């Protein structure tokens, strides 16, 4: 059993034709239904649905409050290392980009963790560039063991692992996994992942499922919007999430919506995802998968993040640094530019003003 078989089934459909043929009546019919099938989700992603964003937004807001309440979960990322052996055409950490790479030692990791914890953050996402050589599982395990005293919950966003390695990290204190397929279109995947182990499409595609089998409590997936037609990428990422939801009933699932940002290098996105497109994706996700979390990082600007909140967002990163050592040192290179630079205090205040409860801890490790 693997999501790849489902991917192949949907890949054979002419999605462009479905998007082109959808009409206003189709959208109205879908919005009148209680629960949506994948065919309905395609209608909500179609160009004609942009005329119905207001109705979609009202229902999305209702569904979000019904399933999650008026709460937003807050977390912060911690970059441990920017060494990477892959050549991804779209990323500033790409092995071909020459800059001084950095890897934190355990003492530095502890200091970064302390600095983040002092702000009040309890949920940490630790990240590395993808290099087994520079950031072996033993190093990540040591980092988790050093950080678990400061945080009630630790997620990882690292290279894909085997099931046994995920189990090892869960044993050390990890409880969540974030892994982005980047692009579901297999042919584009091959083109933009020029060299390195990341070229293996299927090994990456099956990583969330290996994590689920290993016992991860929470899994966050998503595409990197901009690498292919965003409508198709939104479709495949949601179908992937639904597959995990159906097969791993206890799993807490979330989708992220990273868009390509300016970085060191000159990659041009194939598909530009406008703010309006992003709104449509969030609404369509929420209506198709009402119980799945939707996470928004500080890649997006302040105003946009504030305005997107009522549409279905359940999780925000706050006061983030995307540089290795970025919380305590000042000489690192950011993986991507941060657009929302507000402090945790400011974000908490804003959420309360808008009637949301900021949640810093929803899990306690025993
Ligand atoms: S996207 Fe990840 S794997 Fe690719 S170059 Fe950047 S850090 Fe490395």
């Amino acid at each position: 059993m693997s999501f790849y078989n489902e991917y192949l089934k949907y890949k054979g459909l002419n999605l462009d034709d479905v998007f082109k043929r959808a009409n206003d009546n189709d959208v109205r019919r879908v919005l009148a239904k209680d629960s949506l099938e994948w065919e309905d989700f395609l209608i909500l992603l179609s160009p004609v649905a942009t005329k119905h964003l207001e109705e979609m937004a009202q229902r999305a807001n209702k569904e979000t409050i019904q399933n999650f309440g008026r709460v937003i979960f807050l977390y912060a990322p911690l970059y441990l290392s920017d060494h990477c052996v892959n050549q991804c055409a779209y990323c500033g950490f790409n092995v071909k980009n020459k800059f001084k790479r950095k890897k934190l030692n355990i003492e530095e990791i502890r200091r970064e963790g302390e600095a983040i914890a002092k702000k009040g953050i309890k949920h940490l996402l630790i990240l590395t560039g993808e290099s087994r050589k520079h950031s072996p599982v033993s190093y990540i395990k040591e980092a988790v063991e050093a950080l678990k005293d400061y945080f009630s919950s630790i997620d990882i966003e690292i290279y894909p692992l085997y099931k046994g390695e995920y189990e090892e990290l869960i044993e050390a204190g990890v409880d969540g996994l974030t892994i982005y397929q980047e692009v579901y279109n297999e042919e584009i995947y091959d083109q933009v992942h020029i060299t390195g182990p990341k070229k293996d499409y299927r090994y990456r595609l099956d990583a969330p499922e290996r994590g689920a089998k290993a016992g991860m409590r929470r899994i966050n997936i998503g595409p990197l919007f901009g690498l292919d037609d965003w409508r198709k990428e939104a479709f495949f990422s949601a179908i992937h999430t639904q597959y995990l939801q159906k097969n791993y009933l206890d799993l807490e699932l979330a989708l992220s919506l990273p868009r390509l940002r300016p970085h060191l290098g000159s990659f041009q996105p194939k598909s530009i995802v406008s703010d309006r497109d992003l709104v449509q994706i969030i609404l369509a996700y929420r209506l198709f998968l009402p119980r799945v979390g939707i996470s928004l990082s500080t890649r997006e600007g302040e105003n946009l993040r504030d305005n997107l909140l009522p549409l279905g967002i359940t999780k925000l990163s706050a006061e983030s640094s995307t540089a290795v050592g970025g919380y305590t040192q000042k000489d690192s290179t950011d993986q991507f530019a941060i657009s929302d630079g507000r402090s945790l205090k400011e974000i908490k205040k804003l959420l309360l003003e808008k009637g949301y409860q900021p949640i810093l801890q929803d899990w306690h490790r025993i």
Side-chain angles (χ1 to χ4, degrees):
M1 186 175 71
S2 157
F3 173 67
Y4 188 62
N5 300 331
E6 299 233 346
Y7 167 75
L8 291 179
K9 186 175 98 191
Y10 293 109
K11 189 185 171 188
L13 301 172
N14 185 345
L15 296 184
D16 287 321
D17 194 46
V18 179
F19 291 139
K20 208 163 76 195
R21 291 207 322 221
N23 61 42
D24 290 308
N25 284 338
D26 291 329
V27 181
R28 285 189 203 105
R29 179 180 45 76
V30 168
L31 289 177
K33 291 178 77 171
D34 283 340
S35 69
L36 309 191
E37 305 297 327
W38 62 268
E39 294 93 333
D40 303 320
F41 178 52
L42 283 173
I43 302 287
L44 297 183
L45 288 172
S46 70
V48 73
T50 54
K51 289 194 267 164
H52 300 264
L53 292 185
E54 187 52 45
E55 298 136 85
M56 287 167 69
Q58 280 171 19
R59 174 154 165 191
N61 179 259
K62 214 170 112 201
E63 296 270 15
T64 310
I65 293 172
Q66 245 168 22
N67 286 290
F68 295 89
R70 293 182 69 87
V71 299
I72 300 285
F73 189 64
L74 298 170
Y75 71 98
L78 166 53
Y79 281 73
L80 302 185
S81 161
D82 53 19
H83 289 272
C84 186
V85 293
N86 290 308
Q87 192 186 353
C88 304
Y90 50 83
C91 175
F93 281 12
N94 179 331
V95 70
K96 297 283 172 182
N97 276 340
K98 298 291 170 223
F99 65 95
K100 198 164 160 258
R101 308 239 170 199
K102 228 171 167 179
K103 172 183 167 184
L104 301 180
N105 62 35
I106 295 301
E107 200 35 55
E108 289 168 324
I109 291 173
R110 210 184 290 277
R111 277 205 294 272
E112 288 273 297
E114 263 172 19
I116 300 170
K118 263 194 199 144
K119 298 173 196 283
I121 294 279
K122 299 247 185 279
H123 179 190
L124 190 70
L125 171 65
I126 59 176
L127 304 95
T128 63
E130 299 200 9
S131 171
R132 272 186 182 269
K133 183 174 152 226
H134 295 93
S135 317
V137 174
S138 55
Y139 167 71
I140 294 159
K141 196 171 153 186
E142 237 188 302
V144 171
E145 276 160 358
L147 290 164
K148 70 180 175 193
D149 293 341
Y150 304 105
F151 301 96
S152 60
S153 183
I154 299 178
D155 285 23
I156 46 165
E157 185 177 340
I158 59 171
Y159 49 89
L161 302 181
Y162 294 104
K163 177 173 164 271
E165 294 172 318
Y166 284 131
E167 284 166 351
E168 215 180 305
L169 291 181
I170 291 169
E171 181 65 31
V174 167
D175 56 310
L177 166 67
T178 291
I179 185 154
Y180 302 140
Q181 184 59 24
E182 318 289 19
V183 57
Y184 281 85
N185 179 314
E186 200 172 356
E187 287 70 37
I188 294 180
Y189 186 95
D190 192 54
Q191 289 159 20
V192 296
H193 298 108
I194 304 163
T195 57
K198 198 170 175 180
K199 261 198 114 48
D200 190 339
Y201 176 88
R202 283 208 52 188
Y203 182 63
R204 192 172 192 90
L205 191 73
D206 291 336
E209 183 155 20
R210 290 196 298 276
K213 283 186 174 147
M216 286 288 174
R217 187 172 70 84
R218 182 175 50 240
I219 295 189
N220 193 167
I221 64 172
L224 177 55
F225 284 107
L227 293 174
D228 189 20
D229 177 349
W230 63 262
R231 292 191 160 86
K232 293 179 190 165
E233 289 297 302
F235 175 70
F236 284 112
S237 51
I239 291 294
H240 192 180
T241 309
Q242 192 187 45
Y243 167 86
L244 294 168
Q245 194 176 41
K246 281 181 180 163
N247 288 291
Y248 302 92
L249 299 179
D250 294 338
L251 200 55
E252 189 186 311
L253 283 155
L255 275 156
S256 290
L257 308 107
R259 289 190 284 183
L260 271 170
R261 301 282 308 160
H263 71 89
L264 200 62
S266 57
F267 182 79
Q268 289 306 316
K270 175 179 172 192
S271 153
I272 302 292
V273 183
S274 69
D275 291 353
R276 196 178 166 82
D277 300 334
L278 197 68
V279 167
Q280 188 175 355
I281 299 168
I282 294 171
L283 296 176
Y285 273 165
R286 172 54 64 234
L287 300 191
F288 180 51
L289 299 168
R291 286 190 302 279
V292 165
I294 301 180
S295 177
L296 204 59
S297 81
T298 43
R299 282 175 187 240
E300 302 299 344
E302 297 183 14
N303 280 344
L304 184 67
R305 291 218 309 169
D306 297 353
N307 293 330
L308 293 178
L309 276 181
L311 306 182
I313 303 302
T314 56
K315 203 167 156 186
L316 288 178
S317 55
E319 208 169 336
S320 304
S321 166
T322 67
V324 177
Y327 295 97
T328 56
Q329 307 164 13
K330 287 293 161 222
D331 57 343
S332 292
T333 306
D334 287 300
Q335 190 190 23
F336 57 82
I338 292 285
S339 294
D340 184 349
R342 287 174 294 185
S343 67
L344 176 67
K345 210 169 145 195
E346 287 169 307
I347 291 187
K348 277 166 71 179
K349 184 167 171 276
L350 170 103
L351 291 175
L352 290 168
E353 278 166 9
K354 284 187 173 273
Y356 286 88
Q357 180 73 29
I359 303 288
L360 291 160
Q361 182 171 354
D362 72 343
W363 178 255
H364 189 73
R365 192 184 300 107
I366 299 174

